[in-house]
Structure formats: C-alpha cells, structure tokens
Amino acid sequence: MTSVKGRAPNRRTVKARETRTRMLDAARELFIAQGYGATTLTDVAAAAGVAVQTIYFTFGNKRTLLKEMVDVTIAGDDEPVATMERQWYRDALAAPTAVAQLRAQVAGARGVLERVAPIVSMITLAAAADPEIADLWPRDADPRYTVLSTAARSLVAKPDARTGVTEAEAADLLYAILSPELYLLLVREREWSPDRYEKWAFDTLRPQLCGED
C-alpha cells in the first residue's frame, strides 16, 4: 500500500483554502474600514469575489466570520496551532537565559501586535454593538495573560533572572508592556516605529526581569 504521508494537497483543497483566505482578508479590510456593524456578508462576498452562499457555507454567520478573522490575524496564518505551540514561542521558552528569552518574547509579541493592533478598536466597537460577540471567546481566563504567565514562569526560573521577582510580577509586567493598548498608544498615536517600540519594550523589561550582566 502506498503511504499518503507527505502527499501534497489536491487542487480542490488548495483552491478551497485560497478562497477561505480571500474571504478572511476581505472581511478584515471591510470590518476595519467600515466597521463590523456596517459591513454585510454581501459586501464581504463581493470584495472576495465569491457568492454570499459560499461565506454562509464556510463560516455559518457573520459572528463566526469575525472570530475566524481575529484568530487568524493573531496567529498570522490559518494553521490550527495555538500561540503556545507556535515555534517562535517554544524557542523563546527554550532559550538558555532570561535575557535571551525576553528578547525572543518581545520580538514575537511585536509581530503579533503589528497584526492585531489595526483590529483592536473595531472589535471593541463590534462587541459594544453586539453583546453576543463577547461570548465568542472564553471569559474565565484571558488567553493573552495565559500565554504571558507561562512565559513568565519559564523566565523567572532562568539563572540570570532578577532575584526576588515572582512569576506573578513578571507576568504582570509582560502583560502591561506587551499590550495592544500600549502598542497602539506609542505606534499609532505617538508615531513610533515598530522597531522603536520593540527596542523600548525590551530595554524597559530587561532591568525589571533580568539580573545584571
């Protein structure tokens, strides 16, 4: 029997994935430009070059389309891989020193923030207009805090971590400095470059979380 492991996806699968990506991209652009409430699925279908029935068949409704769009934007692709299973995150935690982990953590967070920042205010307004949108994500735990508290646990255990800093304190600092709100304040409102933000975030967190060289 011939193994199918490693077999390239067939053309139908590739085409379906490309169509899904077009719909998500169109939704992102329209939700940002027009607002979630003002954008119809007919608008998204027209922008993506598909029939509106294709969107209903793929996503079911507008709320699900929004959630999929947000999840893909955070991840950077449509692979079903959680942040804590992403290679950049695993490499950061595997770094031998706190400084090396922090540098990788900040760089990875900057990449996520660059993608997420444009949709933050849109999501807030959408949830205010449609309370059911808030139910699309779990309320018992903040996924971003979960990711950063796990990183904090790894960081404070490194040999060059700053003495006396607890896991909770480290998690709070990462959560605050690497937040979408602060990123937007500095990059969008104060017109910092993403490179400047990344350097500042690392330089600010390093003395708080890492010991002296």
Side-chain angles (χ1 to χ4, degrees):
M1 180 181 294
T2 303
S3 173
V4 297
K5 184 176 181 180
R7 179 181 296 176
N10 61 42
R11 291 181 61 186
R12 180 176 296 178
T13 300
V14 171
K15 185 175 181 180
R17 189 166 183 172
E18 290 174 346
T19 301
R20 184 185 186 88
T21 298
R22 285 206 318 275
M23 291 187 288
L24 290 169
D25 289 344
R28 182 185 303 107
E29 292 177 9
L30 289 171
F31 288 163
I32 292 172
Q34 301 179 175
Y36 172 81
T39 301
T40 67
L41 291 185
T42 301
D43 295 332
V44 176
V50 300
V52 71
Q53 289 84 357
T54 303
I55 295 182
Y56 281 111
F57 177 79
T58 305
F59 300 103
N61 56 52
K62 195 164 88 166
R63 292 190 191 97
T64 304
L65 173 61
L66 173 68
K67 185 180 187 304
E68 292 270 351
M69 183 275 291
V70 172
D71 290 347
V72 167
T73 300
I74 292 172
D77 57 49
D78 60 357
E79 295 294 333
V81 181
T83 298
M84 290 194 291
E85 296 300 320
R86 294 271 162 176
Q87 192 62 51
W88 72 264
Y89 183 85
R90 297 173 67 179
D91 288 346
L93 266 60
T97 66
V99 171
Q101 178 184 331
L102 182 61
R103 191 182 300 278
Q105 193 77 44
V106 171
R110 175 256 178 101
V112 174
L113 290 168
E114 281 189 279
R115 296 191 298 271
V116 171
I119 66 173
V120 169
S121 58
M122 180 274 295
I123 296 171
T124 301
L125 292 172
D130 182 356
E132 290 188 30
I133 287 176
D135 295 330
L136 295 174
W137 291 276
R139 294 187 178 186
D140 55 341
D142 184 335
R144 191 169 71 84
Y145 187 81
T146 299
V147 168
L148 293 174
S149 62
T150 301
R153 185 181 310 122
S154 173
L155 191 147
V156 299
K158 301 287 169 68
D160 59 329
R162 183 175 176 178
T163 303
V165 177
T166 67
E167 176 187 326
E169 290 171 331
D172 287 347
L173 287 167
L174 291 170
Y175 189 75
I177 299 299
L178 303 179
S179 67
E181 294 82 4
L182 186 53
Y183 179 88
L184 282 170
L185 176 66
L186 294 175
V187 174
R188 178 178 292 178
E189 295 190 28
R190 302 311 307 158
E191 299 182 345
W192 284 24
S193 69
D195 284 343
R196 182 182 177 187
Y197 166 80
E198 181 180 339
K199 181 180 185 304
W200 171 84
F202 175 75
D203 290 344
T204 300
L205 288 166
R206 179 172 180 172
Q208 300 293 319
L209 299 177
C210 306
E212 296 181 2
D213 293 334

